[in-house]
Amino acid sequence: MSYSRVAGTGRYLPERIMTNADLEKIVDTSDEWIRTRTGVERRHICAPDQTVSQMCIEAAKIAMDAAGVTADDIDMVITGTTTPDLIFPNVSTIIQHELGIPACTAFSLEAACTGFIYALSTADKFIKAGESKCALVMGAECITKLVDWKDRNTCVLFGDGAGAVVLKPSDEQGIVSCHLGADGQYKDLLYYPVGASNNLAAAGTPAANIMMTGNEVFKVAVQTLGRIASETLEKAGVSKEELDWLVPHQANIRIIQAMAKRLNLPMEKVIVTVQDHGNTSAASVPMALDVGVRDGRLKRGQLILMEAFGGGFTWGSVLMRL
Ligand code: COA
């Protein structure tokens, strides 16, 4: 078995939907501004008592069902998230226990919006090394719990959700290559100023808001994603023309369009969910993947490029055959 391959996908979105019209009532913004600058039309918002693990469990059940696996089959759980239920234990252990998965390797990792790409790439290595036979990999976020609803610069952008995949060894080509990167010199352009060892007392106060220099983030995101897309294809010896689909991080429709242009892909070959989900950080790529799989656009054997970019900055791409 020389590859790891996605055996099933799933997603969960919280019930409550907040439209741009709803936001117009709480901050000085307009549907027109939000749609033209970001592409977002609505987003799902988790309930006050809803956690990342609860959302992951729902997404995981659907992915496990699609993959035809039970809890007993899973031997590894990895979750990419910046908004775990607790500081510890890590959220994957909560998910493992609640799903009835036997004791196994379970950890979470934080790479902001790139969390799922980092998690998938990690699981791919474990499977290729023969150390996992069935990995549950998730990206999930209750990012709106960090949002200051009085700050129009950031509150219009984000949404909540969870995406999951089951990854298994395969003789047929699955994940072709993964490319991860990060550069901490950009920390001040996008961060949340509270952590377990820093400024914890400010959590939940107006002092603790998502800090973002939007236009600078935009520029570096477009440059970096364009570069890694080219590098990924080059290293895999794949031409742009061979690519069937782009499943990008859903932060802003203008970033997605710039990526499609760079890859010579018509927008019909790009899975776009930003209008319905907003930026769901680590959940955005696995949820977009699931949308494409379930509506029948993404088919077995097709070549798909997934990519993401987030605070840090972190970035990454996964080229795979579905
Ligand atoms: N409604 C109305 N006006 C708003 C607004 C809102 N929600 N948010 C900002 N504005 C205003 C600003 O105050 C500014 O007004 P001014 O010109 O009078 O000062 C004006 O709109 C332009 O602001 P600017 O920040 O230059 O807009 P922009 O075209 O860069 O778009 C973002 C802002 C955030 C949509 C865009 O920069 C972006 O998407 N950046 C990337 C963000 C991102 O992807 N983050 C996550 C990375 S994973």
Side-chain angles (χ1 to χ4, degrees), residues 108-179:
S108 56
L109 53 86
E110 37 135 346
C113 300
T114 321
F116 174 75
I117 297 288
Y118 266 67
L120 189 63
S121 172
T122 305
D124 173 61
K125 310 290 182 288
F126 274 87
I127 286 179
K128 283 186 178 140
E131 291 191 16
S132 169
K133 297 274 177 276
C134 188
L136 174 61
V137 186
M138 291 156 288
E141 221 77 76
C142 290
I143 196 85
T144 65
K145 291 196 182 187
L146 305 184
V147 160
D148 175 357
W149 293 105
K150 291 188 210 71
D151 179 13
R152 69 176 185 172
N153 290 300
T154 53
C155 75
V156 302
L157 303 175
F158 297 99
D160 300 322
V165 305
V166 172
L167 201 66
K168 290 176 74 175
S170 166
D171 286 327
E172 289 172 77
Q173 200 176 39
I175 291 183
V176 178
S177 65
C178 306
H179 303 268

Side-chain angles (χ1 to χ4, degrees), residues 2-221:
S2 44
Y3 291 99
S4 73
R5 194 172 186 201
V6 170
T9 65
R11 73 177 183 280
Y12 171 83
L13 285 152
E15 267 175 40
R16 182 177 164 211
I17 295 174
M18 186 185 264
T19 63
N20 291 350
D22 295 329
L23 279 164
E24 283 176 355
K25 291 177 201 143
I26 58 174
V27 278
D28 180 16
T29 190
S30 67
D31 173 53
E32 207 262 334
W33 191 97
I34 302 170
R35 268 190 295 108
T36 52
R37 300 285 179 123
T38 72
V40 183
E41 295 171 20
R42 61 194 72 80
R43 69 288 288 144
H44 292 248
I45 309 288
C46 62
D49 59 351
Q50 200 166 26
T51 61
V52 152
S53 69
Q54 289 166 2
M55 296 199 298
C56 281
I57 287 163
E58 297 310 316
K61 283 180 190 163
I62 297 166
M64 287 160 63
D65 194 41
V69 303
T70 67
D72 285 337
D73 297 315
I74 292 172
D75 59 16
M76 166 168 258
V77 182
I78 312 180
T79 312
T81 186
T82 329
T83 48
D85 298 21
L86 302 168
I87 289 167
F88 72 88
N90 83 70
V91 73
S92 289
T93 64
I94 300 171
I95 297 162
Q96 170 259 330
H97 176 66
E98 291 292 327
L99 284 172
I101 295 169
C104 66
T105 308
F107 61 94
S108 56
L109 53 86
E110 37 135 346
C113 300
T114 321
F116 174 75
I117 297 288
Y118 266 67
L120 189 63
S121 172
T122 305
D124 173 61
K125 310 290 182 288
F126 274 87
I127 286 179
K128 283 186 178 140
E131 291 191 16
S132 169
K133 297 274 177 276
C134 188
L136 174 61
V137 186
M138 291 156 288
E141 221 77 76
C142 290
I143 196 85
T144 65
K145 291 196 182 187
L146 305 184
V147 160
D148 175 357
W149 293 105
K150 291 188 210 71
D151 179 13
R152 69 176 185 172
N153 290 300
T154 53
C155 75
V156 302
L157 303 175
F158 297 99
D160 300 322
V165 305
V166 172
L167 201 66
K168 290 176 74 175
S170 166
D171 286 327
E172 289 172 77
Q173 200 176 39
I175 291 183
V176 178
S177 65
C178 306
H179 303 268
L180 303 180
D183 190 344
Q185 71 166 300
Y186 297 108
K187 180 220 142 200
D188 291 341
L189 295 184
L190 180 57
Y191 68 103
Y192 187 72
V194 169
S197 61
N198 187 22
N199 214 14
L200 192 55
T205 71
N209 183 22
I210 295 173
M211 312 299 284
M212 185 178 78
T213 312
N215 44 14
E216 289 300 315
V217 176
F218 189 96
K219 277 186 230 157
V220 187

